[in-house]
Amino acid sequence: MMQQEITRRSALKRIFAAIAATGAGSFITFDDLLAADANPRKAINVLWLHGSSCTGCTCSLLDIEKVPVVDILTRFAHMVFHHDLSLATGDQVTETIDKLLESEEPFVLVVEGSIPVRMPHTCMVAHRTMDSWMQRILPKAQACIAAGTCAAFGGVTQMEGMDTGSMGLLQYSYYRGITTPIITLPGCPMKPEHFVYSVLHYSTHGAPPPLDRYGRPRRFFGRTVHDRCVKYADFQENYFSRKIGEDGCLLRLGCQGMVTRSDCMITGYNNNTNVCLRAGHPCIGCSGENFPRRVMFHTYDDTRDIIPRRV
Amino acid sequence: MSTKIVIDPVTRVEGHLRVETTMDGNRVQSARCSGDMFRGLEKALKGYDARTAQQITQRVCGVCPYAHAETAALALEDAMGIRPEPNGQLLRNLTVGTYQIKDFLLHFYTLCALDFIDITAVLGYEGRDAGLQQVRGWVQQELANNKVFPAAPFLPRYEADYCTDQAANISAIKGYLDAIPIMADFHKMVAIFGGKSPHPVAIEAGGVTTPPTLDRIAHFRTLLATCAPFVREQYTQDVIAVAQAFPGYFREGRGYGNMLSYPYLPDANGDNFFFAGGVTIDGEYRALELDKITEDHTYAYYYDNSSPLLRPLQTDTLRPLSSVDFQAQQSRSDGKYSWGRAPRYDGLPMEVGPAARIINTYKSGTNSELNALVNRFNRQLDITIDDYASVMGRHLSRAILANLTLNHMERQLEMLQPGKPAFSEHPVPRNARGVGITEATRGSLSHYIETDSRGLIRNYEMIVPTTWNMSPRDGSGNQGPVEQMLQNTVVADAANPMELARIVRSTDPCIGCSVH
């Protein structure tokens, strides 16, 4: 029995290596990863920091059912520091970070929220700006996971009218000339499955899953919400909902599904309990590059643009 | 000689918080609480469509987004001069009630319990619970392997007077682990009518956009029945056990004792609130007068060319300090020290939150169910209603509110009328003003909106629970409520100032909300 188990695992590993070599890594499923790697010695160190954030992505992480949170903490990831889970407080936090950087232990950095650059003093940890922390930590990380829309694209912290000059991690690393690979997981909040899959993939294969040009895993962001929408047939038949509560495609009420990449219509939110469109609310594009827009909810006869001219 | 204790960052609270105390021996002489993050969402909203306020303001906070969604919708409804559809009102109550109970669990177990409960007690666990066995095995292995960060995130921690009762420790650690899937279920209940959670989309001015179909109601009812026993039994018992192990904390962190709360959880028509609004000042309960609220920015990092005493919506010119001026203020001992502003009621700093809601509702005498439950706990723990304004009183208040809200939700779920609409559309009002008030997880929340001739936002303002609690000093020199709570606290070990951390966390600070 034991013999069989090991054979199966090593066989799976060989298959994954082949899949990864052919560039078809987005076919590796969640269950494949869980089966392939239950080895606690391979748990990667994770350092989770907050920039200008709201903690929504952390709350979302705790919702995961695919893998119990206890398993994540005790088997798959070694959470060196997390602002909302760690018992460490005050100086213990800065000591932990210093020790991690000095130890040369490999680690993956997770950033929730954006980094203000024009007004760096608007986000401080231990009397130092988040910008200065990031300049020190980001180059030393093996990889960086930008958790949520703020960390990926700026999100609400970069909406028109903001003074702070906040940047998502892609823009920030380019601006600071830091070349650490960045995995972006947009979504407001980030979906916990996206995060755990990326972490598992990293610990199993030592590399992120296949990414698109914005650093998003293709497996989750390869298609738009519209492509997989439950109301897609209504759209094709030009059957549009005129007001909330009616059947039909919600495009004329402001739906952003056409320009928003995510797997919302396949895996939904909250362990596929529901998702905005299934609840009858137009997509507000929360995982998109243009989020938030100045108008997110239209009346049927509203003449303002729904789909941005430049996408 | 006076020394200083600095806790920065304060973890297991939402956002970037710094607490600094000046000590007289081992006693706190004075305290300063700094909210160290600023985004500027409310002023950036200018020029946005009025309906986007709901979606954007809830993103100030991922822990209590529902409350901002509800309050933004209320403010816009006030400007429209309408009330939500009765079904919409009930769905909102169910959504916000659910979310609030989830937040109470998150606060007690994930954020606070391990300040009182000894996590290392798990090493002595001899029972058969799979989760506890897994954690025990893992901690043993971590400690034996000489890792660089053994048993993170549970170590390192402040070494302090943790609970020594093995049964209470194990029960609460089990609660810590079991609460995680229960919280996920509560989030699912929010998602049934809200669309998703965190950040439910469906609470719009006019009601809730998700129709209450029979299958959704049934799904909600099933999950509610699954989660309710955890709240009524495990959570309530664990809070009582911690309260019995640390009775001294009914006298710690008392603060000013001035309590503010807004009316919360109305019936389907928007009347007859389950929890009363009002203020308690010097032990006396009075009715709420919203126009007594002002905001002061003497010690907040903003340029203040206007009067420091502002009423909501009176300014749209408050600008954040530039980096150079920020440094200049920091180098002065009497300089500005927080991004949070200082709201005051009739010039007084007020505590808001679960304790305020319990005390005001109790004193108003409008909710006999609440008074009966409070009296029962008072007898069991040998305390009075005045002891609720304390570290342990706040934890107990949350447990009481969770039980009551659960009862209320079970009743209101059965009042939904499937097949009838929950949302009605109304034009966005032009040149109008509106105010929305409610109780968020952490206390009194208000949004103010002003629209222009095209229905776009001309001005927006939010006064958030943590803005009240975590406010800095005001122009008259009054400390903020939490600063006052910290004063005179005795710290046994300056290297492990657990007493201060317990006081700060008992108010469940949310810096993301407070500064926005």
Side-chain angles (χ1 to χ4, degrees):
Chain A
M1 193 65 200
M2 195 66 191
Q3 194 63 39
Q4 257 181 358
E5 180 73 15
I6 290 164
T7 316
R8 181 176 166 273
R9 188 161 293 164
S10 52
L12 274 172
K13 284 197 168 172
R14 238 173 289 143
I15 294 167
F16 292 143
I19 292 173
T22 57
S26 52
F27 291 116
I28 302 175
T29 68
F30 224 109
D31 296 325
D32 293 339
L33 287 174
L34 286 173
D37 192 79
N39 182 347
R41 275 170 302 177
K42 286 187 75 178
I44 51 171
N45 291 316
V46 174
L47 174 63
W48 185 305
L49 298 178
H50 287 251
S52 290
S53 74
C54 77
T55 313
C57 297
T58 294
C59 289
S60 184
L61 172 67
L62 294 178
D63 285 343
I64 192 155
E65 274 183 359
K66 197 97 191 170
V67 189
V69 173
V70 182
D71 278 10
I72 297 174
L73 292 179
T74 60
R75 292 169 64 191
F76 301 117
H78 188 231
M79 198 67 83
V80 174
F81 174 72
H82 185 297
H83 185 80
D84 306 288
L85 298 176
S86 282
L87 297 201
T89 283
D91 293 343
Q92 291 173 339
V93 176
T94 43
E95 282 159 17
T96 300
I97 297 175
D98 289 343
K99 206 161 135 191
L100 176 67
L101 296 182
E102 282 158 22
S103 73
E104 303 291 327
E105 290 247 336
F107 69 95
V108 169
L109 174 68
V110 182
V111 180
E112 182 176 347
S114 62
I115 315 295
V117 172
R118 194 186 313 138
M119 297 179 69
H121 56 292
T122 58
C123 184
M124 312 270 287
V125 176
H127 249 39
R128 274 175 270 170
T129 64
M130 196 56 198
D131 183 22
S132 66
W133 279 109
M134 290 299 290
Q135 289 185 53
R136 210 176 128 216
I137 300 171
L138 188 54
K140 292 211 165 189
Q142 268 189 320
C144 173
I145 296 179
T149 303
C150 293
F153 301 128
V156 291
T157 62
Q158 208 183 38
M159 65 193 251
E160 281 175 65
M162 295 296 251
D163 298 322
T164 56
S166 291
M167 290 182 179
L169 266 292
L170 281 181
Q171 195 187 355
Y172 179 82
S173 58
Y174 181 74
Y175 176 78
R176 288 284 176 215
I178 300 169
T179 54
T180 306
I182 302 215
I183 305 167
T184 57
L185 303 176
C188 191
M190 163 196 86
K191 287 191 197 176
E193 294 84 2
H194 296 178
F195 175 80
V196 176
Y197 181 89
S198 302
V199 167
L200 284 177
H201 196 287
Y202 207 92
S203 61
T204 316
H205 300 285
L211 307 174
D212 70 7
R213 66 190 170 123
Y214 290 131
R216 295 175 290 202
R218 284 193 205 148
R219 179 180 173 77
F220 306 119
F221 298 93
R223 293 275 187 173
T224 62
V225 171
H226 175 72
D227 286 346
R228 296 281 187 250
C229 187
V230 287
K231 297 173 188 291
Y232 189 74
D234 291 335
F235 167 78
Q236 283 192 310
E237 287 165 20
N238 279 331
Y239 177 45
F240 294 105
S241 177
R242 287 171 169 269
K243 62 175 200 180
I244 289 293
E246 277 184 4
D247 285 343
C249 170
L250 296 171
L251 178 65
R252 299 275 176 88
L253 300 182
C255 183
Q256 295 290 300
M258 277 186 174
V259 290
T260 308
R261 288 178 177 272
S262 188
D263 60 347
C264 280
M265 303 314 295
I266 297 176
T267 52
Y269 262 94
N270 303 97
N271 300 295
N272 216 358
T273 300
N274 210 350
V275 72
C276 313
L277 277 161
R278 267 196 263 145
H281 192 287
C283 169
I284 60 168
C286 75
S287 62
E289 305 90 293
N290 298 303
F291 183 76
R293 301 192 59 230
R294 280 176 180 264
V295 190
M296 289 201 237
F297 189 97
H298 288 245
T299 49
Y300 186 75
D301 48 6
D302 200 332
T303 54
R304 292 175 293 186
D305 282 347
I306 290 172
I307 302 301
R309 288 173 203 279
R310 191 171 53 83
V311 180
Chain B
M1 200 196 88
S2 71
T3 52
K4 274 193 176 180
I5 295 180
V6 177
I7 311 180
D8 184 10
V10 181
T11 54
R12 282 177 287 123
V13 303
E14 199 296 313
H16 301 259
L17 173 66
R18 173 188 176 88
V19 171
E20 192 179 310
T21 59
T22 306
M23 307 297 292
D24 178 10
N26 60 1
R27 191 176 287 273
V28 176
Q29 199 175 45
S30 69
R32 301 207 307 179
C33 298
S34 311
D36 269 349
M37 183 183 81
F38 166 84
R39 286 171 292 178
L41 284 166
E42 59 185 5
K43 298 307 169 197
L45 273 172
K46 279 185 246 171
Y48 281 63
D49 184 79
R51 280 195 184 273
T52 53
Q54 186 278 110
Q55 306 293 357
I56 291 178
T57 58
Q58 64 169 294
R59 285 172 165 85
V60 304
C61 180
V63 190
C64 52
Y66 72 91
H68 294 284
E70 185 200 9
T71 316
L74 286 169
L76 192 53
E77 278 162 5
D78 185 37
M80 289 169 167
I82 60 155
R83 283 191 177 185
E85 293 290 324
N87 259 345
Q89 181 65 58
L90 291 173
L91 287 184
R92 256 187 224 175
N93 289 357
L94 291 169
T95 306
V96 303
T98 304
Y99 217 129
Q100 201 155 99
I101 298 174
K102 184 253 157 193
D103 274 0
F104 290 152
L105 295 180
L106 179 82
H107 176 255
F108 181 72
Y109 285 111
T110 315
L111 304 183
C112 288
L114 299 181
D115 282 348
F116 297 98
I117 293 299
D118 184 4
I119 180 81
T120 62
V122 78
L123 288 168
Y125 179 66
E126 288 169 350
R128 289 179 167 201
D129 183 82
L132 285 169
Q133 285 183 344
Q134 185 181 346
V135 172
R136 182 190 62 196
W138 171 72
V139 174
Q140 279 170 344
Q141 205 180 9
E142 289 275 306
L143 294 176
N145 284 358
N146 272 333
K147 295 191 100 168
V148 185
F149 304 103
F154 300 111
L155 294 176
R157 59 174 186 172
Y158 281 164
E159 292 310 325
D161 56 332
Y162 290 102
C163 177
T164 51
D165 178 346
Q166 178 72 1
N169 279 333
I170 292 295
S171 169
I173 296 171
K174 182 169 163 47
Y176 180 98
L177 300 175
D178 292 350
I180 294 171
I182 295 285
M183 290 191 292
D185 279 350
F186 274 116
H187 261 174
K188 284 184 199 167
M189 288 157 69
V190 174
I192 291 171
F193 296 118
K196 71 183 183 2
S197 173
H199 303 313
V201 291
I203 300 172
E204 295 276 2
V208 170
T209 56
T210 315
T213 52
L214 275 174
D215 59 328
R216 289 190 177 116
I217 295 173
H219 192 184
F220 192 94
R221 191 185 288 122
T222 309
L223 286 170
L224 188 61
T226 322
C227 296
F230 184 86
V231 175
R232 292 198 170 113
E233 287 152 33
Q234 176 100 36
Y235 170 51
T236 312
Q237 283 162 13
D238 284 341
V239 173
I240 298 289
V242 169
Q244 283 170 334
F246 292 87
Y249 274 92
F250 279 110
R251 289 182 298 280
E252 294 291 331
R254 302 199 68 132
Y256 288 106
N258 298 334
M259 298 293 180
L260 168 71
S261 68
Y262 293 155
Y264 178 55
L265 288 188
D267 63 15
N269 300 318
D271 302 314
N272 299 318
F273 291 87
F274 191 55
F275 296 108
V279 290
T280 296
I281 296 171
D282 297 330
E284 194 191 327
Y285 172 77
R286 296 167 214 184
L288 181 68
E289 292 172 72
L290 272 186
D291 53 3
K292 286 191 168 169
I293 294 173
T294 52
E295 265 198 301
D296 178 297
H297 53 264
T298 311
Y299 288 92
Y301 296 129
Y302 303 93
Y303 293 109
D304 50 354
N305 40 15
S306 47
S307 141
L309 270 188
L310 290 169
R311 294 189 188 285
L313 293 181
Q314 256 181 2
T315 176
D316 54 2
T317 55
L318 211 63
R319 308 300 303 171
L321 291 188
S322 72
S323 196
V324 174
D325 292 324
F326 177 88
Q327 305 288 350
Q329 290 292 338
Q330 285 218 317
S331 60
R332 288 169 48 180
S333 62
D334 63 339
K336 296 168 180 278
Y337 62 90
S338 179
W339 286 107
R341 293 162 73 192
R344 295 291 184 256
Y345 183 89
D346 209 6
L348 295 171
M350 305 293 285
E351 176 180 341
V352 299
R357 204 183 310 160
I358 290 277
I359 291 173
N360 286 341
T361 310
Y362 185 90
K363 294 200 174 189
S364 77
T366 54
N367 183 334
S368 54
E369 195 181 341
L370 179 137
N371 286 32
L373 197 56
V374 168
N375 288 337
R376 207 184 88 201
F377 282 115
N378 287 358
R379 280 193 299 274
Q380 189 181 352
L381 295 165
D382 193 22
I383 54 171
T384 68
I385 187 69
D386 297 323
D387 293 322
Y388 282 73
S390 65
V391 170
M392 207 49 74
R394 291 181 198 106
H395 289 297
L396 180 62
S397 299
R398 290 187 184 90
I400 295 174
L401 291 175
N403 277 285
L404 290 169
T405 307
L406 207 53
N407 298 346
H408 199 58
M409 278 166 45
E410 285 170 347
R411 291 189 291 262
Q412 291 204 327
L413 179 64
E414 304 311 322
M415 294 177 195
L416 283 171
Q417 295 182 299
K420 292 206 173 157
F423 175 78
S424 57
E425 191 152 338
H426 299 268
V428 173
R430 328 247 147 176
N431 295 315
R433 278 186 172 212
V435 52
I437 59 171
T438 189
E439 285 281 294
T441 314
R442 300 171 170 93
S444 309
L445 171 66
S446 50
H447 282 208
Y448 301 80
I449 191 171
E450 187 180 354
T451 60
D452 68 8
S453 57
R454 290 173 297 166
L456 306 180
I457 295 169
R458 181 186 288 150
N459 201 355
Y460 205 90
E461 187 138 344
M462 298 143 80
I463 304 182
V464 185
T466 306
T467 324
W468 287 97
N469 284 338
M470 210 40 89
S471 70
R473 283 162 178 70
D474 58 34
S476 323
N478 296 315
Q479 304 192 90
V482 174
E483 294 174 338
Q484 180 75 16
M485 289 173 201
L486 291 168
Q487 194 161 25
N488 287 325
T489 302
V490 174
V491 179
D493 173 9
N496 293 282
M498 181 61 104
E499 296 84 353
L500 305 181
R502 284 174 181 158
I503 292 172
V504 170
R505 288 200 186 103
S506 75
T507 64
D508 196 3
C510 176
I511 308 306
C513 275
S514 94
V515 184
H516 34 278

PDB file of all heavy atoms in Angstrom, chain B residues 231-248:
ATOM      1  N   VAL B 231     -22.755  30.084  18.082  1.00  0.00           N
ATOM      2  CA  VAL B 231     -22.814  31.400  18.722  1.00  0.00           C
ATOM      3  C   VAL B 231     -23.435  31.284  20.100  1.00  0.00           C
ATOM      4  O   VAL B 231     -22.920  31.815  21.083  1.00  0.00           O
ATOM      5  CB  VAL B 231     -23.629  32.378  17.847  1.00  0.00           C
ATOM      6  CG1 VAL B 231     -23.805  33.718  18.554  1.00  0.00           C
ATOM      7  CG2 VAL B 231     -22.954  32.565  16.496  1.00  0.00           C
ATOM      8  N   ARG B 232     -24.555  30.570  20.189  1.00  0.00           N
ATOM      9  CA  ARG B 232     -25.291  30.507  21.466  1.00  0.00           C
ATOM     10  C   ARG B 232     -24.534  29.711  22.511  1.00  0.00           C
ATOM     11  O   ARG B 232     -24.631  29.997  23.691  1.00  0.00           O
ATOM     12  CB  ARG B 232     -26.660  29.864  21.231  1.00  0.00           C
ATOM     13  CG  ARG B 232     -27.560  30.755  20.401  1.00  0.00           C
ATOM     14  CD  ARG B 232     -29.022  30.358  20.533  1.00  0.00           C
ATOM     15  NE  ARG B 232     -29.849  31.383  19.923  1.00  0.00           N
ATOM     16  CZ  ARG B 232     -30.581  31.199  18.818  1.00  0.00           C
ATOM     17  NH1 ARG B 232     -30.594  30.013  18.226  1.00  0.00           N
ATOM     18  NH2 ARG B 232     -31.285  32.183  18.321  1.00  0.00           N
ATOM     19  N   GLU B 233     -23.808  28.690  22.092  1.00  0.00           N
ATOM     20  CA  GLU B 233     -23.141  27.844  23.083  1.00  0.00           C
ATOM     21  C   GLU B 233     -21.635  28.135  23.169  1.00  0.00           C
ATOM     22  O   GLU B 233     -21.183  28.826  24.050  1.00  0.00           O
ATOM     23  CB  GLU B 233     -23.414  26.361  22.765  1.00  0.00           C
ATOM     24  CG  GLU B 233     -24.872  26.016  23.108  1.00  0.00           C
ATOM     25  CD  GLU B 233     -25.431  24.895  22.284  1.00  0.00           C
ATOM     26  OE1 GLU B 233     -24.671  23.980  21.921  1.00  0.00           O
ATOM     27  OE2 GLU B 233     -26.644  24.939  21.973  1.00  0.00           O
ATOM     28  N   GLN B 234     -20.873  27.649  22.184  1.00  0.00           N
ATOM     29  CA  GLN B 234     -19.417  27.759  22.275  1.00  0.00           C
ATOM     30  C   GLN B 234     -18.945  29.198  22.508  1.00  0.00           C
ATOM     31  O   GLN B 234     -18.212  29.475  23.452  1.00  0.00           O
ATOM     32  CB  GLN B 234     -18.775  27.209  20.999  1.00  0.00           C
ATOM     33  CG  GLN B 234     -17.264  27.379  20.961  1.00  0.00           C
ATOM     34  CD  GLN B 234     -16.509  26.124  21.341  1.00  0.00           C
ATOM     35  OE1 GLN B 234     -16.919  25.016  21.036  1.00  0.00           O
ATOM     36  NE2 GLN B 234     -15.397  26.292  22.018  1.00  0.00           N
ATOM     37  N   TYR B 235     -19.368  30.119  21.644  1.00  0.00           N
ATOM     38  CA  TYR B 235     -18.880  31.504  21.736  1.00  0.00           C
ATOM     39  C   TYR B 235     -19.276  32.121  23.076  1.00  0.00           C
ATOM     40  O   TYR B 235     -18.448  32.687  23.798  1.00  0.00           O
ATOM     41  CB  TYR B 235     -19.428  32.307  20.552  1.00  0.00           C
ATOM     42  CG  TYR B 235     -19.230  33.803  20.614  1.00  0.00           C
ATOM     43  CD1 TYR B 235     -17.977  34.352  20.865  1.00  0.00           C
ATOM     44  CD2 TYR B 235     -20.290  34.683  20.396  1.00  0.00           C
ATOM     45  CE1 TYR B 235     -17.792  35.733  20.910  1.00  0.00           C
ATOM     46  CE2 TYR B 235     -20.119  36.055  20.435  1.00  0.00           C
ATOM     47  CZ  TYR B 235     -18.874  36.575  20.698  1.00  0.00           C
ATOM     48  OH  TYR B 235     -18.704  37.943  20.734  1.00  0.00           O
ATOM     49  N   THR B 236     -20.556  31.991  23.425  1.00  0.00           N
ATOM     50  CA  THR B 236     -21.018  32.598  24.672  1.00  0.00           C
ATOM     51  C   THR B 236     -20.268  32.006  25.869  1.00  0.00           C
ATOM     52  O   THR B 236     -19.816  32.735  26.759  1.00  0.00           O
ATOM     53  CB  THR B 236     -22.539  32.378  24.824  1.00  0.00           C
ATOM     54  OG1 THR B 236     -23.165  32.743  23.587  1.00  0.00           O
ATOM     55  CG2 THR B 236     -23.109  33.224  25.932  1.00  0.00           C
ATOM     56  N   GLN B 237     -20.101  30.672  25.874  1.00  0.00           N
ATOM     57  CA  GLN B 237     -19.405  30.037  27.004  1.00  0.00           C
ATOM     58  C   GLN B 237     -17.941  30.459  27.085  1.00  0.00           C
ATOM     59  O   GLN B 237     -17.406  30.682  28.170  1.00  0.00           O
ATOM     60  CB  GLN B 237     -19.491  28.512  26.877  1.00  0.00           C
ATOM     61  CG  GLN B 237     -20.851  27.967  27.286  1.00  0.00           C
ATOM     62  CD  GLN B 237     -21.080  26.561  26.758  1.00  0.00           C
ATOM     63  OE1 GLN B 237     -20.141  25.906  26.291  1.00  0.00           O
ATOM     64  NE2 GLN B 237     -22.316  26.110  26.811  1.00  0.00           N
ATOM     65  N   ASP B 238     -17.284  30.559  25.933  1.00  0.00           N
ATOM     66  CA  ASP B 238     -15.875  30.954  25.949  1.00  0.00           C
ATOM     67  C   ASP B 238     -15.704  32.383  26.469  1.00  0.00           C
ATOM     68  O   ASP B 238     -14.752  32.672  27.206  1.00  0.00           O
ATOM     69  CB  ASP B 238     -15.251  30.812  24.555  1.00  0.00           C
ATOM     70  CG  ASP B 238     -14.950  29.354  24.202  1.00  0.00           C
ATOM     71  OD1 ASP B 238     -14.872  28.526  25.128  1.00  0.00           O
ATOM     72  OD2 ASP B 238     -14.800  29.047  23.004  1.00  0.00           O
ATOM     73  N   VAL B 239     -16.614  33.272  26.083  1.00  0.00           N
ATOM     74  CA  VAL B 239     -16.528  34.648  26.594  1.00  0.00           C
ATOM     75  C   VAL B 239     -16.725  34.645  28.105  1.00  0.00           C
ATOM     76  O   VAL B 239     -15.972  35.288  28.851  1.00  0.00           O
ATOM     77  CB  VAL B 239     -17.565  35.562  25.904  1.00  0.00           C
ATOM     78  CG1 VAL B 239     -17.592  36.940  26.571  1.00  0.00           C
ATOM     79  CG2 VAL B 239     -17.246  35.710  24.421  1.00  0.00           C
ATOM     80  N   ILE B 240     -17.706  33.895  28.574  1.00  0.00           N
ATOM     81  CA  ILE B 240     -17.961  33.828  30.020  1.00  0.00           C
ATOM     82  C   ILE B 240     -16.728  33.250  30.741  1.00  0.00           C
ATOM     83  O   ILE B 240     -16.312  33.751  31.791  1.00  0.00           O
ATOM     84  CB  ILE B 240     -19.194  32.938  30.314  1.00  0.00           C
ATOM     85  CG1 ILE B 240     -20.431  33.533  29.664  1.00  0.00           C
ATOM     86  CG2 ILE B 240     -19.399  32.747  31.816  1.00  0.00           C
ATOM     87  CD1 ILE B 240     -20.940  34.787  30.277  1.00  0.00           C
ATOM     88  N   ALA B 241     -16.132  32.202  30.154  1.00  0.00           N
ATOM     89  CA  ALA B 241     -14.971  31.580  30.801  1.00  0.00           C
ATOM     90  C   ALA B 241     -13.817  32.569  30.915  1.00  0.00           C
ATOM     91  O   ALA B 241     -13.159  32.653  31.965  1.00  0.00           O
ATOM     92  CB  ALA B 241     -14.539  30.348  30.013  1.00  0.00           C
ATOM     93  N   VAL B 242     -13.578  33.332  29.857  1.00  0.00           N
ATOM     94  CA  VAL B 242     -12.500  34.332  29.911  1.00  0.00           C
ATOM     95  C   VAL B 242     -12.852  35.412  30.929  1.00  0.00           C
ATOM     96  O   VAL B 242     -12.005  35.850  31.721  1.00  0.00           O
ATOM     97  CB  VAL B 242     -12.253  34.943  28.503  1.00  0.00           C
ATOM     98  CG1 VAL B 242     -11.344  36.160  28.591  1.00  0.00           C
ATOM     99  CG2 VAL B 242     -11.640  33.896  27.567  1.00  0.00           C
ATOM    100  N   ALA B 243     -14.120  35.819  30.959  1.00  0.00           N
ATOM    101  CA  ALA B 243     -14.546  36.849  31.920  1.00  0.00           C
ATOM    102  C   ALA B 243     -14.359  36.351  33.349  1.00  0.00           C
ATOM    103  O   ALA B 243     -13.952  37.103  34.238  1.00  0.00           O
ATOM    104  CB  ALA B 243     -16.005  37.231  31.666  1.00  0.00           C
ATOM    105  N   GLN B 244     -14.645  35.064  33.584  1.00  0.00           N
ATOM    106  CA  GLN B 244     -14.488  34.531  34.937  1.00  0.00           C
ATOM    107  C   GLN B 244     -13.015  34.367  35.313  1.00  0.00           C
ATOM    108  O   GLN B 244     -12.649  34.511  36.475  1.00  0.00           O
ATOM    109  CB  GLN B 244     -15.229  33.190  35.055  1.00  0.00           C
ATOM    110  CG  GLN B 244     -16.728  33.402  35.177  1.00  0.00           C
ATOM    111  CD  GLN B 244     -17.525  32.118  35.065  1.00  0.00           C
ATOM    112  OE1 GLN B 244     -17.065  31.153  34.446  1.00  0.00           O
ATOM    113  NE2 GLN B 244     -18.711  32.099  35.646  1.00  0.00           N
ATOM    114  N   ALA B 245     -12.167  34.107  34.309  1.00  0.00           N
ATOM    115  CA  ALA B 245     -10.741  33.956  34.591  1.00  0.00           C
ATOM    116  C   ALA B 245     -10.054  35.311  34.810  1.00  0.00           C
ATOM    117  O   ALA B 245      -9.003  35.388  35.441  1.00  0.00           O
ATOM    118  CB  ALA B 245     -10.066  33.192  33.454  1.00  0.00           C
ATOM    119  N   PHE B 246     -10.628  36.367  34.233  1.00  0.00           N
ATOM    120  CA  PHE B 246     -10.002  37.697  34.330  1.00  0.00           C
ATOM    121  C   PHE B 246     -11.011  38.738  34.841  1.00  0.00           C
ATOM    122  O   PHE B 246     -11.268  39.735  34.170  1.00  0.00           O
ATOM    123  CB  PHE B 246      -9.464  38.133  32.953  1.00  0.00           C
ATOM    124  CG  PHE B 246      -8.301  37.315  32.467  1.00  0.00           C
ATOM    125  CD1 PHE B 246      -8.519  36.142  31.751  1.00  0.00           C
ATOM    126  CD2 PHE B 246      -6.993  37.704  32.721  1.00  0.00           C
ATOM    127  CE1 PHE B 246      -7.446  35.369  31.303  1.00  0.00           C
ATOM    128  CE2 PHE B 246      -5.924  36.945  32.271  1.00  0.00           C
ATOM    129  CZ  PHE B 246      -6.151  35.769  31.565  1.00  0.00           C
ATOM    130  N   PRO B 247     -11.580  38.530  36.047  1.00  0.00           N
ATOM    131  CA  PRO B 247     -12.608  39.482  36.524  1.00  0.00           C
ATOM    132  C   PRO B 247     -12.066  40.899  36.690  1.00  0.00           C
ATOM    133  O   PRO B 247     -12.807  41.865  36.582  1.00  0.00           O
ATOM    134  CB  PRO B 247     -13.038  38.881  37.865  1.00  0.00           C
ATOM    135  CG  PRO B 247     -11.914  37.981  38.282  1.00  0.00           C
ATOM    136  CD  PRO B 247     -11.289  37.479  37.025  1.00  0.00           C
ATOM    137  N   GLY B 248     -10.742  41.021  36.902  1.00  0.00           N
ATOM    138  CA  GLY B 248     -10.144  42.346  37.085  1.00  0.00           C
ATOM    139  C   GLY B 248     -10.326  43.229  35.863  1.00  0.00           C
ATOM    140  O   GLY B 248     -10.314  44.460  35.969  1.00  0.00           O
TER     141      GLY B 248
END
